[in-house]
Coordinates of all heavy atoms in Angstrom, one line a residue:
T141 N -10.0 5.2 21.0 CA -8.7 5.4 21.6 C -8.8 6.4 22.8 O -8.1 6.3 23.8 CB -7.7 6.0 20.6 OG1 -8.3 7.1 19.9 CG2 -7.2 4.9 19.6
W142 N -9.9 7.2 22.8 CA -10.1 8.1 24.0 C -10.6 7.2 25.2 O -10.6 7.7 26.3 CB -11.2 9.1 23.7 CG -11.0 10.0 22.6 CD1 -9.8 10.2 21.9 CD2 -11.9 11.0 22.0 NE1 -10.0 11.2 20.9 CE2 -11.2 11.7 21.0 CE3 -13.2 11.3 22.3 CZ2 -11.9 12.7 20.2 CZ3 -13.9 12.2 21.5 CH2 -13.2 12.9 20.5
W143 N -11.0 6.0 24.9 CA -11.4 5.1 26.0 C -10.3 4.1 26.3 O -10.5 2.9 26.7 CB -12.6 4.3 25.5 CG -13.9 5.0 25.3 CD1 -14.2 5.8 24.3 CD2 -15.0 5.0 26.2 NE1 -15.5 6.3 24.4 CE2 -16.0 5.8 25.6 CE3 -15.3 4.3 27.4 CZ2 -17.3 6.0 26.2 CZ3 -16.6 4.5 27.9 CH2 -17.5 5.4 27.3
S144 N -9.1 4.5 26.1 CA -7.9 3.7 26.4 C -7.7 2.5 25.5 O -6.9 1.6 25.8 CB -7.9 3.2 27.9 OG -8.1 4.3 28.8
A145 N -8.3 2.5 24.3 CA -8.1 1.4 23.3 C -6.7 1.6 22.8 O -6.2 2.7 22.5 CB -9.1 1.5 22.2
P146 N -6.0 0.5 22.5 CA -4.7 0.5 21.9 C -4.8 0.9 20.4 O -5.9 0.8 19.8 CB -4.2 -0.9 22.0 CG -5.4 -1.8 22.1 CD -6.5 -0.9 22.8
K147 N -3.7 1.4 19.9 CA -3.7 1.9 18.5 C -3.9 0.7 17.5 O -4.1 0.9 16.3 CB -2.5 2.7 18.2 CG -1.2 2.0 18.2 CD -0.1 3.0 17.9 CE 1.3 2.3 18.0 NZ 2.4 3.3 17.8
Q148 N -3.7 -0.5 18.0 CA -3.9 -1.7 17.1 C -5.3 -2.2 17.1 O -5.6 -3.2 16.5 CB -3.0 -2.8 17.6 CG -1.5 -2.6 17.5 CD -0.9 -1.8 18.6 OE1 -1.6 -1.5 19.7 NE2 0.3 -1.3 18.4
Q149 N -6.2 -1.6 17.9 CA -7.6 -2.1 18.0 C -8.3 -1.8 16.7 O -8.4 -0.7 16.2 CB -8.3 -1.4 19.2 CG -9.7 -1.9 19.3 CD -10.4 -1.4 20.6 OE1 -9.9 -1.6 21.7 NE2 -11.5 -0.7 20.5
I150 N -8.9 -2.9 16.2 CA -9.8 -2.9 15.0 C -11.2 -3.3 15.4 O -11.4 -4.3 16.2 CB -9.2 -3.9 14.0 CG1 -7.8 -3.5 13.5 CG2 -10.2 -4.0 12.8 CD1 -7.8 -2.2 12.8
Q151 N -12.2 -2.5 15.0 CA -13.5 -2.7 15.4 C -14.4 -3.2 14.2 O -14.2 -2.9 13.1 CB -14.1 -1.4 15.9 CG -13.0 -0.8 16.8 CD -13.4 0.4 17.6 OE1 -12.6 0.8 18.5 NE2 -14.6 1.0 17.4
F152 N -15.4 -4.1 14.6 CA -16.3 -4.7 13.7 C -17.7 -4.3 14.1 O -18.0 -4.4 15.3 CB -16.2 -6.2 13.6 CG -14.9 -6.8 13.1 CD1 -13.8 -6.7 13.8 CD2 -14.9 -7.5 11.9 CE1 -12.6 -7.2 13.3 CE2 -13.7 -8.0 11.4 CZ -12.6 -7.9 12.1
W153 N -18.6 -3.9 13.2 CA -19.9 -3.5 13.6 C -20.9 -4.0 12.6 O -20.7 -3.9 11.4 CB -20.0 -1.9 13.6 CG -21.3 -1.4 14.1 CD1 -21.6 -1.0 15.4 CD2 -22.5 -1.1 13.3 NE1 -22.9 -0.5 15.4 CE2 -23.5 -0.6 14.2 CE3 -22.8 -1.2 12.0 CZ2 -24.7 -0.2 13.8 CZ3 -24.0 -0.9 11.5 CH2 -25.0 -0.3 12.4
T154 N -22.0 -4.6 13.1 CA -23.1 -5.0 12.2 C -24.5 -4.8 12.9 O -24.6 -4.9 14.1 CB -23.0 -6.5 11.9 OG1 -24.0 -6.9 11.0 CG2 -23.0 -7.4 13.2
P155 N -25.5 -4.4 12.1 CA -26.8 -4.4 12.6 C -27.4 -5.7 12.8 O -27.1 -6.7 12.1 CB -27.6 -3.6 11.5 CG -26.9 -4.0 10.2 CD -25.5 -4.2 10.6
V156 N -28.3 -5.9 13.8 CA -29.0 -7.2 14.0 C -30.3 -7.3 13.3 O -30.8 -8.4 12.9 CB -29.2 -7.4 15.5 CG1 -29.9 -8.7 15.8 CG2 -27.9 -7.4 16.3
F157 N -31.0 -6.1 13.0 CA -32.2 -6.1 12.3 C -32.0 -5.1 11.1 O -31.0 -4.3 11.1 CB -33.4 -5.6 13.1 CG -33.7 -6.5 14.3 CD1 -33.0 -6.3 15.5 CD2 -34.7 -7.4 14.2 CE1 -33.3 -7.2 16.6 CE2 -35.0 -8.3 15.2 CZ -34.3 -8.1 16.5
E158 N -32.8 -5.1 10.2 CA -32.8 -4.2 9.0 C -32.6 -2.8 9.5 O -33.3 -2.4 10.5 CB -34.0 -4.4 8.2 CG -33.9 -3.7 6.8 CD -35.2 -3.9 6.0 OE1 -35.9 -4.9 6.2 OE2 -35.5 -3.0 5.2
M159 N -31.8 -2.0 8.9 CA -31.6 -0.6 9.3 C -31.6 0.4 8.2 O -31.7 0.0 7.0 CB -30.2 -0.6 10.0 CG -29.1 -0.8 9.0 SD -27.4 -0.5 9.6 CE -27.4 1.2 9.7
S160 N -31.5 1.6 8.5 CA -31.5 2.7 7.4 C -30.5 3.8 7.9 O -30.0 3.7 9.0 CB -32.8 3.3 7.2 OG -33.2 4.2 8.2
R161 N -30.3 4.8 7.0 CA -29.4 5.9 7.4 C -30.0 6.7 8.6 O -29.2 7.5 9.2 CB -29.2 6.8 6.2 CG -30.5 7.5 5.8 CD -30.2 8.4 4.6 NE -29.3 9.4 4.8 CZ -29.2 10.5 4.1 NH1 -29.9 10.6 3.0 NH2 -28.3 11.4 4.3

Side-chain angles (χ1 to χ4, degrees):
T141 47
W142 298 352
W143 293 76
S144 310
K147 67 182 177 184
Q148 293 84 10
Q149 181 172 302
I150 296 294
Q151 317 189 169
F152 293 71
W153 184 94
T154 180
V156 178
F157 297 87
E158 190 181 333
M159 64 172 291
S160 76
R161 66 181 297 196

